[in-house]
Amino acid sequence: QVQMVESGGGLVQAGGSLRLSCAASGTIFRINAMGWYRQAPGKQRELVATITSGGSTNYADSLKGRFTISRDNAKNTVYLQMNSLKPEDTAVYICNADYVGLLDSRWSPGTAWGQGTQVTVSS
């Protein structure tokens, strides 16, 4: 089973920056796309950004220019650099990965989600 563990969340003032990390662990053959999502209180989960194994990225339109997603394939880790943070960016940030991993002695596709890390931006 593949597990995702996020780190790097916290409290920051408006205009500040944070860098989130998320590492995948387990018996992994390959990780395809990785991504970040966020969920604010009382709102639905929304896409922040995704990145393919080849480095192609996709962002929510409202976040382009402030957020940057990257990954280290050797470390099975995805990052999210967040700059010029605003109070409305306050949310739980959750990473995910589409992978091929070992399940019941077979290589099988799956999707893993992290538990989430809280980001709070004060005004």
Side-chain angles (χ1 to χ4, degrees):
Q1 211 170 17
V2 175
Q3 295 182 327
M4 311 287 289
V5 178
E6 300 104 335
S7 61
L11 175 64
V12 63
Q13 288 189 332
S17 298
L18 280 175
R19 188 186 192 218
L20 306 182
S21 300
C22 178
S25 62
T27 306
I28 299 169
F29 175 72
R30 180 178 67 245
I31 295 181
N32 298 319
M34 304 183 83
W36 288 96
Y37 294 74
R38 68 184 185 182
Q39 187 163 18
K43 295 187 177 181
Q44 290 188 330
R45 185 176 295 186
E46 63 176 356
L47 170 72
V48 173
T50 60
I51 184 168
T52 68
S53 57
S56 296
T57 58
N58 178 57
Y59 293 91
D61 287 341
S62 62
L63 301 177
K64 289 179 181 177
R66 294 195 298 122
F67 288 18
T68 303
I69 190 171
S70 61
R71 63 189 283 174
D72 184 333
N73 290 332
K75 296 181 179 179
N76 290 334
T77 299
V78 62
Y79 305 96
L80 184 68
Q81 178 67 43
M82 304 184 292
N83 298 328
S84 302
L85 283 162
K86 305 175 181 180
E88 52 263 43
D89 294 319
T90 295
V92 175
Y93 285 72
I94 306 154
C95 65
N96 86 331
D98 293 326
Y99 64 88
V100 177
L102 194 64
L103 179 64
D104 295 333
S105 302
R106 292 184 177 184
W107 294 113
S108 303
T111 299
W113 291 88
Q115 293 296 311
T117 186
Q118 178 70 45
V119 172
T120 302
V121 184
S122 62
S123 57

